């Protein structure tokens, strides 16, 4: 029995995202798909001094419209630009200049952007007490002709998955019968009951054990 999760990588997503790491044997970073410019891959919302939430965006080089996530790279002077951007968020700015292991991870812009996203995912999952096996879809031999659910199914089959888990919104995108025909159970989480703010802000303000406890209280699945 092998449970696989396949998701786009996000910039320090909310705690509910990490339910995938809590239950999956294998987590596949879905980086072979088109970069969603208005999504959460390269940005997230953080609290300002007046407690309002505003976007913080990681500085990336401009790319063509159809560029996959795997092709993204940092803009020149990304570190300096990012430091200027976090100045809008006093809590972040102060915390990310304390030379802790968390700040070192957030401010490490070496390699590609997917390298960065994988590093931050691994760092966060370790903080939360999870140690899944992590792979990238761009490193698999999956035909570019496969799109949508067919691509997800091909990735799941690559790891001989018997169950594919997704967040609650996943049920709107997949046909359970198609998974069943491949001997794979589709399962989605029930809606998350907890804080939806970025895990980065939460790790700064809360003990990781408390966040893990919250995640464990939100592990109910609906199977199809």
């Amino acid at each position: 029995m092998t449970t696989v999760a396949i998701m786009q990588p996000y910039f320090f997503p909310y705690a509910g995202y990490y339910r995938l790491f809590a239950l999956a044997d294998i987590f596949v970073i879905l980086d072979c798909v088109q970069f969603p410019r208005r999504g959460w891959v390269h940005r997230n919302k953080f609290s300002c001094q007046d407690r309002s939430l505003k976007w913080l965006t990681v500085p990336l080089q401009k790319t063509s419209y159809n560029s996959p996530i795997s092709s993204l790279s940092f803009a020149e002077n990304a570190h300096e630009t990012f430091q200027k951007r976090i100045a809008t968020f006093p809590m972040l700015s102060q915390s990310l200049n304390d030379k802790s292991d968390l700040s070192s991870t957030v401010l490490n812009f070496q390699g590609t952007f997917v390298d960065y996203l994988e590093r931050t995912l691994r760092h966060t999952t370790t903080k939360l007490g999870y140690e899944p096996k992590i792979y990238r879809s761009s490193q698999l031999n999956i035909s570019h002709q496969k799109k949508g659910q067919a691509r997800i199914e091909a990735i799941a089959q690559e790891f001989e998955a018997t169950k594919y888990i997704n967040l609650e919104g996943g049920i709107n995108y997949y046909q359970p019968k198609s998974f069943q025909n491949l001997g794979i159970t589709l399962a989605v989480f029930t809606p998350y009951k907890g804080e939806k703010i970025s895990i980065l802000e939460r790790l700064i303000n809360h003990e990781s054990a408390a966040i893990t406890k919250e995640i464990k209280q939100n592990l109910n699945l609906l199977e199809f």
Side-chain angles (χ1 to χ4, degrees), residues 77-162:
N77 302 315
H79 187 277
E80 292 78 3
T81 301
F82 190 77
Q83 288 279 24
K84 291 178 181 177
R85 290 179 181 178
I86 64 174
T88 305
F89 312 90
M91 176 272 300
L92 272 184
S93 182
Q94 180 178 354
S95 299
L96 295 182
N97 283 291
D98 62 1
K99 296 184 180 180
S100 67
D101 58 341
L102 178 60
S103 63
S104 297
T105 300
V106 177
L107 298 176
N108 179 3
F109 297 105
Q110 299 297 313
T112 68
F113 185 52
V114 175
D115 291 338
Y116 177 86
L117 292 174
E118 182 173 340
R119 277 198 303 272
T120 56
L121 281 173
R122 288 184 181 278
H123 180 88
T124 308
T125 52
T126 298
K127 285 278 189 182
L128 297 174
Y130 306 127
E131 296 182 358
K133 296 178 180 178
I134 300 178
Y135 299 86
R136 301 183 193 180
S137 64
S138 61
Q139 297 173 340
L140 304 176
N141 188 25
I142 305 297
S143 170
H144 292 291
Q145 301 300 317
K146 293 184 179 294
K147 307 292 184 183
Q149 180 165 337
R151 191 164 192 78
I152 296 298
E153 291 172 345
I155 295 171
Q157 287 183 295
E158 187 81 7
F159 294 97
E160 300 181 348
T162 53

